Amino acid sequence: MEKEEFPLKKVCIICSKGSLETVYPALVLANGALLEGIEVKLFFTFFGLDAINKKFNKKIHTPVVGNPALRLPGNIPFPTLLGILPGMEDLTTAMMKQTMNKLDIPTVPEFIEYINAGGGEIYACKLAMDMFGVKRKDLIDEVKDVLTVGEFYAKCGGQGTQIIFI
Amino acid sequence: MATNVIAGKTVNVNEEGYLLDPKEWTIDIAHEIAKEEGITLTQKHIDVINFIRDKVLSGETLSMRSISKSGIITVKELYELFPGTPLKLACKIAGVQKPASCV
């Protein structure tokens, strides 16, 4: 019997944290899916809401405390105690963003623009918004809707669909 | 390695139909591949294709961002001109390898 193949048709990506290393994978996966002709639903919840918050989406940072994989150039370990110094997070993030810029990796607002242009749908979590006192007007215009978890799941149906939680 | 006759010219292609040598490309080949993909090339398509060829032939990595910043086209227009898989499709028509970038 010939093996049946079920190609990926839709990805539903949940971004649940507001740090650079969570927001970027979500955006890269979303944009990459659209470029392959795969449908995308992107759901931002909890601290992930920062990525679609007008006030904070240009300020997504790399955590410098409790991040054992963080190293200085030349693979020098970055001690957590150093991370508590004022400005350390800004500095580390600036270095990271410089490298990313060189590699032509889009910024968060650029990624959102590409995803929107490619027909990817961006949603915000109602519960998280209530918890953090975030209003619809605080969110970027590209957000299609504010959804409950049930409403989001309703959009995740169909053969060839995968949910990715980050 | 396979060969294919496109627009009367024998060219080397991979299994997905991408030209292996961008130098074998001609504008007639572009029109022919586009037609197979259901696209009728306009000047805007050709501007994008030329940009991609310049970029790739000069050894640079092609990315969405470089196209978006080129001023030739917006990302939305790119999706409209090359529907489905815009970057791959544009590269195929431009006679260059499939983009190797994740962004």
Side-chain angles (χ1 to χ4, degrees), chain B:
Chain B
M1 200 162 78
T3 57
N4 198 0
V5 181
I6 308 174
K9 199 177 167 208
T10 305
V11 289
N12 294 305
V13 293
N14 72 5
E15 64 283 359
E16 290 176 285
Y18 287 80
L19 258 65
L20 291 174
D21 181 1
K23 291 189 189 73
E24 291 182 338
W25 179 91
T26 65
I27 190 70
D28 291 336
I29 289 176
H31 280 286
E32 188 80 15
I33 298 175
K35 209 167 109 188
E36 274 173 34
E37 298 286 348
I39 296 171
T40 309
L41 292 186
T42 62
Q43 189 53 47
K44 201 91 181 166
H45 288 99
I46 294 167
D47 290 345
V48 175
I49 289 166
N50 284 334
F51 174 81
I52 290 176
R53 287 186 60 81
D54 284 350
K55 209 70 186 153
V56 173
L57 289 174
S58 65
E60 287 179 61
T61 311
L62 187 69
S63 67
M64 281 292 270
R65 200 179 193 215
S66 57
I67 295 178
S68 157
K69 291 205 157 190
S70 68
I72 296 171
I73 195 174
T74 64
V75 175
K76 199 168 172 57
E77 288 172 317
L78 185 73
Y79 273 99
E80 282 161 7
L81 291 181
F82 302 95
T85 56
L87 215 46
K88 281 163 83 176
L89 202 49
C91 283
K92 194 174 183 183
I93 297 168
V96 300
Q97 287 289 294
K98 195 156 81 173
S101 166
C102 286
V103 286

Side-chain angles (χ1 to χ4, degrees), chain A residues 98 137 159 164:
Chain A
Q98 206 177 23
K137 65 172 170 44
Q159 197 183 55
I164 304 171

Side-chain angles (χ1 to χ4, degrees), chain A residues 7-162:
Chain A
L8 187 57
K9 286 188 188 149
K10 178 160 93 183
V11 284
C12 304
I13 302 165
I14 303 165
C15 175
S16 68
K17 295 181 201 78
S19 54
L20 192 118
E21 76 266 31
T22 305
V23 171
Y24 263 90
L27 296 174
V28 172
L29 285 167
N31 181 59
L34 291 168
L35 286 175
E36 294 297 324
I38 296 166
E39 195 183 329
V40 168
K41 315 270 182 210
L42 197 46
F43 187 65
F44 290 92
T45 186
F46 267 77
F47 295 107
L49 277 178
D50 269 13
I52 50 169
N53 190 316
K54 280 178 200 160
K55 217 195 264 177
F56 304 113
N57 79 338
K58 290 178 195 74
K59 297 176 187 157
I60 302 295
H61 276 188
T62 312
V64 287
V65 170
N67 184 355
L70 184 68
R71 284 181 292 274
L72 294 164
N75 277 336
I76 302 158
F78 186 97
T80 280
L81 269 176
L82 207 61
I84 63 170
L85 295 176
M88 206 43 97
E89 193 173 284
D90 283 334
L91 182 73
T92 315
T93 303
M95 281 170 73
M96 193 85 94
K97 285 190 175 168
Q98 206 177 23
T99 309
M100 286 169 32
N101 189 40
K102 259 189 237 157
L103 290 173
D104 238 357
I105 299 174
T107 62
V108 173
E110 280 172 336
F111 255 134
I112 297 282
E113 181 205 326
Y114 299 176
I115 291 165
N116 193 46
E121 294 175 5
I122 298 169
Y123 297 103
C125 169
K126 185 175 181 303
L127 185 66
M129 284 175 69
D130 291 345
M131 275 176 59
F132 297 132
V134 176
K135 301 275 175 293
R136 181 65 182 84
K137 65 172 170 44
D138 300 327
L139 302 177
I140 53 171
D141 298 338
E142 288 86 349
V143 172
K144 199 173 173 204
D145 209 351
V146 176
L147 303 179
T148 63
V149 65
E151 287 166 339
F152 179 67
Y153 276 143
K155 294 185 182 297
C156 302
Q159 197 183 55
T161 303
Q162 295 289 341

